[in-house]
Amino acid sequence: MRTVYVNGAYVPENEAKVSVFDRGFLFGDGIYEVASVLGGKLIDFPAHMARLHRSAGELGMRFTVSDDDLLAIHRELVSRNNVDEGVVYLQMTRGAIDREFTFDTEKLTPTLVLFTQSRALIDTEVAKNGMKIVSIPDLRWGRCDIKTVQLLYSSLGKMEAKARGADDAWLVRDGVVTEGTSNNAFIVTSEGAIITRPLSHSILPGITRAALMAYCAANGTTIEEREFTIEEARGAAEAFITSASVFVGPVISIDGVEISGGKPGPVTLGLRKTYLEESLKRAI
Ligand code: PMP
């Protein structure tokens, strides 16, 4: 049984409790982060905490825990649960108060919950064989840049992808691909250009996306930020996704159209290698 963290206490998972009045539960008024663990160490940790602060700021949520404490809690959970490879999930909500649409943030104490999941992240089926993508309309709200727990559309999108025999879905708004249900989307053109859409309120500023772009910039590989349509993606030489738990994940088909001969492409695999090497060097 796992040990989880709830509001200052480390408790067995079956004893962890959050109020029924928690605004995360009643209104989806919560934010989260997922940091991966490799060899017992946290990947891209400072960037995940920086984004957590940004999400809280955008929603006017109080931030009552220090970054040092957040790191200590992450490490304590990794250690208590013997996580060698896996993720640490963190959720912070505005707090618990009797149900009202309006609220006084200052009267609320944020709820903080963290738990771990041990699982293989490097040697996975997706890394080896790639993933099949289908496209669906992006019907999410207008602030997808904030990492809130309002994940219903993404969850249903993944379910639809599975029902259609695929692994995940890419979201399309105004004719262009915004992002995956839980990842950022990239294509590689037949000329070898690596492309991802620019940041805006329409997508989450992925930590893995930013880290990969920084590693590429440092080694002279250009990643171009421009919008692309799902038709361009279906005709791309390669396609891939980035996320904290998949890192760089090859895409081998989009809407049933084979990409890169139906197997992970060389550019994608090179970027995966670069990401893993560089982020392992910086793991804490
Ligand atoms: N977009 C969405 C919608 C996501 O949910 C995620 C993962 N949380 C990402 C992109 C990738 O972000 P990161 O690299 O920080 O995991």
Side-chain angles (χ1 to χ4, degrees), residues 32 48 51 140 147 179-184 204 206-209 242-244:
Y32 76 109
H48 282 287
R51 186 172 61 187
R140 301 173 302 165
K147 197 165 169 66
E179 57 185 338
T181 59
S182 64
N183 45 65
N184 291 114
L204 189 78
I207 300 303
T208 318
R209 173 191 186 278
T242 60
S243 80

Side-chain angles (χ1 to χ4, degrees), residues 205-246:
I207 300 303
T208 318
R209 173 191 186 278
L212 181 68
M213 288 178 77
Y215 303 149
C216 283
N219 75 15
T221 306
T222 303
I223 296 188
E224 193 184 328
E225 287 180 277
R226 70 156 168 84
E227 291 181 339
F228 57 87
T229 63
I230 195 69
E231 289 76 22
E232 182 177 7
R234 286 197 286 256
E238 295 183 33
F240 65 91
I241 59 98
T242 60
S243 80
S245 55
V246 178

Side-chain angles (χ1 to χ4, degrees), residues 159-181:
M159 293 299 288
E160 182 178 337
K162 300 263 180 234
R164 286 163 63 182
D167 302 294
D168 207 342
W170 279 8
L171 310 172
V172 179
R173 192 194 297 254
D174 299 329
V176 295
V177 175
T178 49
E179 57 185 338
T181 59

